[in-house]
Amino acid sequence: MHNLMQQPFRTAVLVLVWGWLLFLVLAPNLLVVGASVMTRSPGTFISLPLTLDAYRQLFDPLYLEVFLHSLYMAAMTTMVCLLIGYPFAWSLSKMGKQRQVLLVFLLIVPFWTNSLVRTYALKLILATNGLLNSALMSLGWIDEPIQMLYTEGAVIVGLVYLLLPFMILPLYSVFEDLREDLLRASHDLGAGRWSTFIHVIVPLTLPGVLAGVMLVLLPAMGLFFVPDILGGSRNLLVGNVIKNQFLDARNWPFGAAASIVLTLAMAFLMFAHRLSKRRIGEHGV
Amino acid sequence: MNRWLPRTYLTLVYLLLYVPIAVLVVFSFNESRTGYDWGGLSLRWYEALFNNRAMVKAMWNSLWLALSAATISTLIGALTALALHRYRFRGKQVLNGMLFVVMMSPEIVLAISLLALFLLVGMQLGYVSLLLAHVTFCLPFVVITVTARLSGFDERLPEAARDLGASDFVMTRTVLIPVIMPALLAGWLLGFTLSLDDVVVSTFVSGPSYEILPLRIYSMVRVGLKPEVNALGALLLVFSLVMLILSQWILLRSRR
């Protein structure tokens, strides 16, 4: 092996990369963990003594209600994304190869465009005198405008609109790997369509489902600008609470504790994802 | 299965994805003030946009930030990818893991951790804090793009260069860099777009000294509809689209 002096380039690269990640990823995250067990302080944001008060505050009925409501909206978002995305990814994987490239491109275009602007565009459509209400009224399906903006439904629609590609892409990648011979084998062994779906297709696409859930469920609790634009004050996300605690109320321990709960949820989902992949690996598929 | 059923379904979902974007672009040319009724074709909102000094200033700030963040993250990201690809070193898994965590964790978690760091070390929130934050969240995307390119690379080339007496640095410059050039360009464009569009992280780490576009839009759209935002949004959409097509074109061309 070469020693350090013989490879100054290698040393410089590694120092730069490690330095960056330790200072801007590891240190800040440790700080958040630290802040969550400290006491709120007006001048320096946080101070000793150590306490678990912030975590206790998470169970305050007022906040608990917001968190549960946020979790509910995120779960609904994930479910809707899965219901739309699963058949979508399946259909996509059945198209011609050339066409698939184009279709996947069309799917990631919105991902590259400004999510704030796209959320705002939904406002044009959902507003009381917006396009959807006008369309429904001119069709004669409704007599007067429906209140769509500033509802729970509007927040879910907004989240689904922003996050749908993140559900579809991992699903598409598992459907692409789904081997036709396994489906044929299942058929030859006498399984009907439904039975093949439940016993072969669902288990094989499970890692994609979990990856999609991971990529949708957690961001759906953090994207605070969606309720700000579409939801009104009664439909807050965990992200709104964290933002308020850090930027307005200056209660760092509480904001940090809320963020750690999100991180733990992410860790749990990642673990489940790895487990499901390993199980499929064991069966030699 | 029916042939037309999947096709109809795909078309329907694509329509849903693109209708709001189309509506926004069409309404940006709408003469009417209210934003809902069609008042004829007009460029007045584009005019209003460019006559708004604060808006133009924020636009330049955003462009400069995206430019510098993309450049620095491409530089560091490319070096990281090369190090991961070429060197064995202790903690490689940890490094990989940290990049993965940055990419997967909710943006808001990254945002508050960086805010806590910046405030505790006493850094003034502004251009520098935005730059550090943006480079950090762009980094994993550049690393992935470059790593993908390197994984299909003939290992004998760098070895040959070494055998011919090239130092590590010279070999990197003359052999590796040309090979990963398309990935560098694609990674740069990706970083540029991510930076230009970011709202969540910027909300936390920006200060009054450096106002950027997404935050200006954010404060405008929270209170009702603003026709100027339609025009700005349409411009941003077209801009992102051009960048995306450019990066895909570079990657596709290099594969041939």
Side-chain angles (χ1 to χ4, degrees):
Chain A
M1 278 266 97
H2 308 271
N3 69 38
L4 286 182
M5 288 316 288
Q6 277 174 323
Q7 291 190 312
F9 180 68
R10 173 197 148 120
T11 314
V13 169
L14 288 181
V15 166
L16 178 69
V17 172
W18 274 115
W20 193 283
L21 288 177
L22 291 181
F23 185 66
L24 286 154
V25 177
L26 190 65
N29 279 303
L30 290 179
L31 258 177
V32 171
V33 175
S36 74
V37 292
M38 288 175 82
T39 310
R40 175 184 185 185
S41 152
T44 55
F45 302 112
I46 41 174
S47 67
L48 292 168
L50 296 180
T51 164
L52 285 175
D53 273 357
Y55 290 92
R56 230 165 272 142
Q57 207 183 343
L58 289 175
F59 293 96
D60 181 313
L62 182 74
Y63 288 114
L64 201 59
E65 198 181 322
V66 173
F67 289 149
L68 289 179
H69 188 51
S70 173
L71 185 65
Y72 166 76
M73 286 192 289
M76 285 302 284
T77 302
T78 312
M79 201 119 85
V80 173
C81 281
L82 189 60
L83 285 177
I84 299 177
Y86 200 84
F88 185 93
W90 199 348
S91 311
L92 192 60
S93 71
K94 291 206 176 297
M95 294 288 133
K97 276 285 165 231
Q98 282 285 314
R99 189 167 294 177
Q100 278 185 37
V101 175
L102 179 70
L103 290 174
V104 170
F105 177 76
L106 285 176
L107 195 64
I108 57 171
V109 166
F111 166 73
W112 277 59
T113 56
N114 197 305
S115 45
L116 191 62
V117 169
R118 279 185 295 136
T119 311
Y120 169 74
L122 283 180
K123 201 171 186 170
L124 289 172
I125 295 172
L126 297 176
T128 313
N129 44 357
L131 283 179
L132 190 56
N133 267 319
S134 314
L136 289 175
M137 271 163 45
S138 59
L139 282 171
W141 290 4
I142 53 173
D143 294 327
E144 50 190 65
I146 307 171
Q147 171 75 41
M148 295 187 234
L149 214 52
Y150 310 123
T151 60
E152 187 184 282
V155 176
I156 295 172
V157 167
L159 291 171
V160 169
Y161 182 51
L162 294 185
L163 296 169
L164 185 61
F166 294 92
M167 177 63 86
I168 292 175
L169 289 175
L171 283 173
Y172 168 65
S173 99
V174 288
F175 272 115
E176 236 196 340
D177 290 343
L178 196 65
R179 279 162 41 189
E180 283 292 327
D181 52 347
L182 287 171
L183 304 187
R184 241 175 286 129
S186 165
H187 180 77
D188 291 348
L189 293 169
R193 271 187 187 174
W194 179 245
S195 174
T196 301
F197 178 70
I198 291 294
H199 296 292
V200 181
I201 298 178
V202 167
L204 284 177
T205 51
L206 195 61
V209 172
L210 283 168
V213 168
M214 191 157 74
L215 289 173
V216 172
L217 187 68
L218 291 165
M221 289 195 268
L223 292 174
F224 56 78
F225 58 85
V226 176
D228 273 353
I229 296 173
L230 300 173
S233 57
R234 268 177 305 145
N235 299 295
L236 298 179
L237 302 181
V238 177
N240 296 78
V241 175
I242 297 177
K243 175 171 162 262
N244 291 342
Q245 294 302 322
F246 260 85
L247 295 184
D248 305 327
R250 294 280 166 193
N251 186 350
W252 280 25
F254 183 55
S259 137
I260 283 171
V261 171
L262 271 192
T263 312
L264 287 178
M266 175 188 75
F268 173 75
L269 285 175
M270 274 179 166
F271 180 70
H273 177 237
R274 280 186 82 120
L275 216 63
S276 75
K277 264 186 136 165
R278 194 172 305 159
R279 270 192 51 189
I280 285 184
E282 269 170 15
H283 294 305
V285 177
Chain B
M1 213 198 297
N2 247 322
R3 276 196 77 77
W4 58 267
L5 189 68
R7 283 179 191 204
T8 320
Y9 182 66
L10 289 177
T11 314
L12 196 73
V13 176
Y14 278 115
L15 268 178
L16 286 177
L17 279 177
Y18 280 91
V19 160
I21 297 178
V23 165
L24 184 85
V25 173
V26 170
F27 271 68
S28 74
F29 296 106
N30 187 2
E31 168 71 31
S32 147
R33 161 111 241 156
T34 59
Y36 298 117
D37 309 308
W38 186 251
L41 219 55
S42 154
L43 285 175
R44 68 183 279 202
W45 303 118
Y46 287 90
E47 213 181 307
L49 194 64
F50 286 105
N51 284 330
N52 185 338
R53 273 170 166 269
M55 190 68 108
V56 174
K57 175 90 179 127
M59 227 183 275
W60 284 118
N61 280 349
S62 269
L63 281 177
W64 174 241
L65 174 67
L67 208 74
S68 40
T71 307
I72 296 176
S73 60
T74 303
L75 210 71
I76 301 179
L79 289 174
T80 310
L82 284 174
L84 285 170
H85 181 72
R86 305 227 329 111
Y87 301 141
R88 279 163 191 245
F89 53 89
R90 225 177 281 167
K92 199 169 178 169
Q93 289 296 322
V94 180
L95 193 81
N96 255 325
M98 268 159 92
L99 288 169
F100 186 66
V101 165
V102 174
M103 202 168 60
M104 297 297 293
S105 57
E107 278 174 287
I108 195 159
V109 173
L110 181 77
I112 59 157
S113 70
L114 286 170
L115 174 72
L117 177 80
F118 294 149
L119 288 184
L120 286 181
V121 300
M123 185 186 276
Q124 185 93 46
L125 293 181
Y127 173 69
V128 178
S129 59
L130 279 167
L131 182 66
L132 289 173
H134 282 215
V135 170
T136 303
F137 70 67
C138 291
L139 210 53
F141 292 93
V142 178
V143 174
I144 283 185
T145 315
V146 177
T147 305
R149 176 85 186 159
L150 279 172
S151 65
F153 170 63
D154 188 345
E155 281 306 320
R156 284 167 304 185
L157 283 176
E159 273 170 40
R162 292 293 287 272
D163 291 345
L164 291 170
S167 70
D168 232 22
F169 177 72
V170 171
M171 189 281 291
T172 303
R173 193 166 53 88
T174 55
V175 178
L176 284 180
I177 303 276
V179 167
I180 60 172
M181 204 55 192
L184 291 185
L185 281 173
W188 188 89
L189 287 166
L190 183 56
F192 187 90
T193 322
L194 284 173
S195 164
L196 198 63
D197 289 346
D198 172 71
V199 187
V200 174
V201 176
S202 301
T203 301
F204 283 82
V205 299
S206 77
S209 66
Y210 200 82
E211 196 182 26
I212 55 171
L213 210 49
L215 297 188
R216 181 137 194 107
I217 301 177
Y218 186 36
S219 61
M220 285 174 84
V221 297
R222 285 168 86 171
V223 284
L225 292 169
K226 290 273 161 43
E228 289 111 308
V229 174
N230 297 351
L232 184 61
L235 280 180
L236 277 174
L237 287 173
V238 172
F239 191 69
S240 305
L241 203 60
V242 171
M243 298 291 267
L244 177 60
I245 290 173
L246 210 62
S247 75
Q248 293 297 312
W249 182 72
I250 289 169
L251 279 179
L252 271 179
R253 225 181 54 140
S254 71
R255 237 172 261 152
R256 291 208 181 115

